[in-house]
Amino acid sequence: MTNVRSLEAELESARELAVDDLADAIESIGFECTRCGACCTGHGEDEHTATVFPDEVRRLEDAPTDDNLEGEAIPDAEDREWRDVARPMPYGLEEGDDGLEGETFEWALETDGCGDCAFYAEDEAGVGACTVHEDRPLICRTYPFSVGLAGTSQPMGEAVDSVSLPAQAGADSEDEAGVLRAHECEGLGREISREDAEELARALKERAVRELEEAIGVRDEYEPADREPGEVVVHDSEGAKRVDGTPLEE
């Protein structure tokens, strides 16, 4: 039987993750970004879906974009708003008479008309790139890896490879050890420097902590929304919001 632990216990485990252990696991799998764009684009009828935290949305509202990239699907930073950056996570919403409606949890990066991330573009040589690379969210900084801790569900779909992490000090059993998961990406298996592995490991630890802090915030702030017919309400760690990011009670 799976050992189900509280979110608070998971958060403590995430905070205790050793960057060196994560870096070792990343090195053992290997990774180098080939800039193929697969993690930034939609596939068939499936739109690109990447979770973005509320503070990341606000940062991306003001993030400068790379002027050398073509095909930007978002306004310049001075004209950019919440809805240009993020959309309600589609899971749990239903198709109503006037489009999607209902309540959902968390935000996803906005997409363009092709289902690609709105911040994805191609350079003059046709190579994919992020137009806000320096300000990209943690989920983008850490793909194709994720960290699983005892009792947590598996994010980002099925893993194609995984490495068990050493049990942390004070763990009651090996079952409390975490696992580094690698998800489908053509860059897997390539040599990675120790410096890059450690940088990626630090971002993975930060993401694991932030995801659990967000989940706890959503749980603590959640109340069923008194919404209008045809309206979408998004619950995040700051409370219930409209699709433009404004608090529902305003």
Side-chain angles (χ1 to χ4, degrees), residues 5-15 212 216 219-220:
R5 304 161 69 202
S6 70
L7 290 174
E8 285 77 10
E10 291 296 300
L11 177 58
E12 186 62 28
S13 293
R15 288 172 173 163
L212 285 157
I216 290 170
R219 180 199 65 192
D220 293 347

Side-chain angles (χ1 to χ4, degrees), residues 50-106:
T51 305
V52 59
F53 300 125
D55 64 304
E56 292 179 323
V57 177
R58 286 188 284 269
R59 186 172 72 247
L60 286 169
E61 283 185 90
D62 301 320
T65 52
D66 189 334
D67 294 333
N68 296 317
L69 294 171
E70 299 293 334
E72 292 181 24
I74 56 169
D76 292 334
E78 57 268 23
D79 300 318
R80 201 176 304 149
E81 299 178 351
W82 185 284
R83 294 180 70 165
D84 298 315
V85 175
R87 62 191 174 101
M89 191 64 73
Y91 310 124
L93 299 179
E94 298 179 350
E95 192 70 38
D97 294 336
D98 299 316
L100 291 176
E101 62 180 19
E103 298 181 45
T104 188
F105 297 90
E106 304 298 348

Side-chain angles (χ1 to χ4, degrees), residues 8 154 180:
E8 285 77 10
Q154 181 160 307
L180 175 77

